[in-house]
């Protein structure tokens, strides 16, 4: 565990605040100056499930409910503890379309209620803003997702660790007859609020380039290259700075009248500045399929393999393999039912005092039933 030295960088926080202010100013310009006259109209309360409209602006309050079973609540390889839990998720969606463009905003509070282990009940807060803006033969896509949480979903944590996570991304597309070329940048920021984890605060700055080639009216070949710099500058004690290069190739689009998806695979070379840390040089990939059973029912399945930064003792990363199967069925005009089975495997590169005979290796199964409004 790292020492509790909080060496934050005020200058970087100020720079990030200025960048967010500039992004806000750009969004305000695009939403106000570029919107057609008459976009703001009268207030209209729609029918159930249709939301509330004010001119082009649409507000849609929602309440989602989830029941789930976790076979390894604390991610312990030798002493598994299972539990049922419920998640109540009130929130609101905002959408503002004009011409071919659209601005979206979502807020959601995820309230967790466990059956046996009530000491891990908590509330997560989720915010997401996105802008899709088209001009000439270009597309500009801005997105920012903020999460205040101490959930272990989609993490390696065996404890509930309070933290902020923010992902800001921008992508510019250039459209040709058969080709689409893309340039992108993404900043992932993880900021821990739990004492003892401050040294793991880090950023991942990623630049990417992608090309898509249309081989038929519904299928495209794709190739992607990414370079990411991993920066732990807030606290140098861990010396975990590093970088990775990743290249992927595959295909995406509509396969049949009812089947669509994406499949891509490639190689990631992740190296760390310290020679004492293990590097990750391995195959990576992602695949997803969507099958339309009917106009109201769909099946989703997928798989992913990649590497993630770790906070577990001397292991600087872990290899993530995950797969899922989800069924969505529209029940009424305003309600959709969801059933999902998901599996995750976390494999660590280095043995530790906790696991002296072999490196830590976690398998996590999760079954969920959800009702969305």
């Amino acid at each position: 565990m790292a020492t509790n030295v909080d060496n934050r960088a005020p200058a970087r926080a100020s720079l990030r605040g200025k960048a967010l202010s500039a992004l806000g100013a750009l969004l305000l310009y695009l939403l106000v100056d570029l919107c057609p006259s008459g976009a703001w109209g009268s207030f209209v309360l729609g029918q159930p499930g249709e939301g509330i409209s004010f001119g082009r602006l649409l507000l849609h309050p929602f309440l989602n409910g989830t029941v789930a079973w976790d076979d390894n609540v604390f991610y312990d390889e030798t002493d598994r503890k299972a539990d049922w839990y419920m998640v109540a998720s009130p929130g609101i969606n905002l959408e503002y379309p004009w011409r071919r463009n659209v601005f979206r905003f979502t807020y959601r509070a995820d309230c967790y209620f466990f059956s046996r282990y009530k000491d891990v009940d908590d509330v997560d807060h989720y915010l997401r803003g996105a802008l899709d803006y088209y001009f000439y033969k270009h597309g500009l896509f801005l997105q920012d997702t903020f999460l205040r949480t101490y959930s272990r979903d989609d993490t390696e944590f065996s404890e509930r660790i309070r933290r902020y996570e923010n992902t800001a991304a921008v992508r510019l597309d250039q459209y040709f007859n058969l080709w689409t070329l893309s340039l992108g940048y993404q900043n992932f920021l993880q900021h821990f609020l739990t004492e003892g984890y401050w040294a793991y605060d880090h950023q991942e700055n990623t630049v990417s380039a992608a090309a898509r080639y249309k081989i038929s009216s519904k299928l495209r070949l794709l190739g992607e290259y990414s370079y990411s710099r991993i920066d732990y500058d807030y606290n140098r004690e861990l010396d975990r700075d590093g970088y990775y290069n990743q290249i992927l190739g595959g295909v995406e689009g509509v396969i049949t009248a009812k089947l669509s998806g994406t499949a891509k695979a490639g190689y990631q070379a992740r190296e760390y500045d310290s020679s004492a840390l293990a590097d990750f040089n391995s195959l990576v990939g992602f695949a997803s399929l969507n099958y339309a059973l009917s106009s109201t029912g769909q099946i989703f399945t997928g798989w992913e393999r990649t590497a993630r930064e770790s906070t577990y003792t001397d292991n600087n990363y872990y290899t993530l393999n995950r797969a899922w199967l989800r069924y969505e069925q529209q029940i009424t005009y305003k309600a959709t039912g969801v059933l999902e089975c998901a599996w995750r495997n976390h494999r660590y590169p280095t043995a530790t005092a906790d696991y002296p005979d072999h490196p830590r290796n976690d398998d996590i199964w999760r079954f969920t039933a959800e009702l969305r409004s």
Side-chain angles (χ1 to χ4, degrees):
M1 189 68 66
T3 57
N4 303 338
V5 180
D6 191 5
N7 296 330
R8 310 299 166 98
R12 291 194 175 194
S14 176
L15 180 62
R16 183 173 182 82
K18 292 178 181 178
L20 290 175
S21 298
L23 179 59
L26 175 61
L27 291 176
L28 182 62
Y29 169 76
L30 292 173
L31 287 174
V32 177
D33 286 357
L34 300 185
C35 290
S37 60
W40 307 95
S42 59
F43 175 87
V44 177
L45 180 62
Q47 297 298 317
E50 294 180 356
I52 305 167
S53 63
F54 184 77
R56 295 177 182 269
L57 182 67
L58 177 64
L59 298 175
H60 181 69
F62 62 86
L63 175 61
N64 299 338
T66 303
V67 177
W69 180 79
D70 192 330
D71 79 324
N72 196 356
V73 173
F74 299 103
Y75 287 14
D76 193 311
E77 185 175 358
T78 58
D79 186 21
R80 291 172 175 262
K81 291 180 173 61
D83 198 6
W84 291 94
Y85 64 92
M86 297 177 59
V87 186
S89 303
I92 187 168
N93 286 323
L94 179 152
E95 185 172 303
Y96 186 88
W98 77 100
R99 300 190 185 100
R100 294 188 300 157
N101 316 306
V102 62
F103 171 76
R104 298 182 179 89
F105 173 83
T106 299
Y107 168 74
R108 188 182 74 242
D110 295 327
C111 309
Y112 287 80
F113 304 95
F114 282 78
S115 176
R116 295 175 59 194
Y117 303 102
K118 299 185 181 299
D119 56 325
V120 295
D121 291 356
D122 197 51
V123 179
D124 294 346
H125 298 277
Y126 171 93
L127 287 165
R128 181 180 183 272
L131 173 68
D132 298 350
Y133 183 72
Y134 297 90
F135 57 102
Y136 303 109
K137 294 185 178 180
H138 298 81
L140 177 65
F141 306 93
L142 304 175
Q143 178 178 310
D144 191 274
T145 302
F146 173 81
L147 184 64
R148 183 188 184 279
T149 180
Y150 90 155
S151 169
R152 295 185 305 105
D153 290 350
D154 198 32
T155 75
E156 61 164 344
F157 301 138
S158 58
E159 303 175 64
R160 306 283 163 172
I161 301 171
R162 293 188 182 276
R163 63 196 183 278
Y164 293 141
E165 294 181 357
N166 193 86
T167 304
V170 58
R171 192 182 84 238
L172 179 65
D173 288 356
Q174 169 73 57
Y175 305 109
F176 299 95
N177 185 30
L178 297 177
W179 288 89
T180 299
L181 302 180
S182 303
L183 291 175
Y185 166 76
Q186 176 176 290
N187 171 268
F188 172 74
L189 173 68
Q190 191 171 54
H191 173 88
F192 289 93
L193 303 176
T194 298
E195 187 176 354
Y197 284 84
W198 295 335
Y200 295 103
D201 285 6
H202 73 282
Q203 298 186 55
E204 297 179 31
N205 292 285
T206 305
V207 293
S208 60
R212 288 168 170 79
Y213 180 75
K214 187 183 294 184
I215 56 176
S216 70
S217 60
K218 297 181 178 181
L219 285 177
R220 297 189 297 181
L221 296 177
L222 64 91
E224 300 175 1
Y225 167 76
S226 301
Y227 171 82
S228 185
R229 183 68 195 178
I230 305 164
D231 184 8
Y232 283 85
D233 275 352
Y234 288 134
N235 192 320
R236 286 292 186 180
E237 292 182 13
L238 297 180
D239 194 21
R240 289 193 173 197
D241 291 359
Y243 67 91
Y244 68 78
N245 290 278
Q246 178 175 283
I247 187 168
L248 297 169
V251 63
E252 65 179 10
V254 179
I255 303 170
T256 69
K258 294 187 175 183
L259 184 65
S260 61
T262 299
K264 51 187 178 181
Y267 192 82
Q268 183 183 120
R270 179 182 291 239
E271 299 184 2
Y272 292 86
D273 296 350
S274 172
S275 59
L277 299 178
D279 296 329
F280 175 84
N281 295 280
S282 184
L283 298 176
V284 292
F286 174 86
S288 66
L289 289 174
N290 175 12
Y291 182 75
L293 292 172
S294 65
S295 60
T296 59
Q298 299 183 81
I299 293 178
F300 301 86
T301 187
W303 161 85
E304 182 182 20
R305 174 183 168 84
T306 188
R308 296 261 182 98
E309 289 296 290
S310 172
T311 61
Y312 178 63
T313 63
D314 296 328
N315 286 269
N316 48 303
Y317 75 88
Y318 63 96
T319 303
L320 168 66
N321 283 277
R322 68 186 185 106
W324 63 92
L325 177 65
R326 185 171 74 252
Y327 171 60
E328 297 186 3
Q329 176 65 52
Q330 183 177 344
I331 301 171
T332 67
Y333 181 76
K334 61 178 298 186
T336 299
V338 181
L339 296 174
E340 182 176 59
C341 172
W343 165 81
R344 298 170 61 90
N345 174 262
H346 302 163
R347 185 178 295 273
Y348 295 79
T350 306
T352 65
D354 294 334
Y355 301 96
D357 298 330
H358 60 84
R360 177 179 167 185
N361 184 28
D362 297 332
D363 284 299
I364 305 102
W365 288 90
R366 182 169 289 121
F367 301 92
T368 60
E370 181 179 357
L371 182 64
R372 298 175 183 170
S373 62

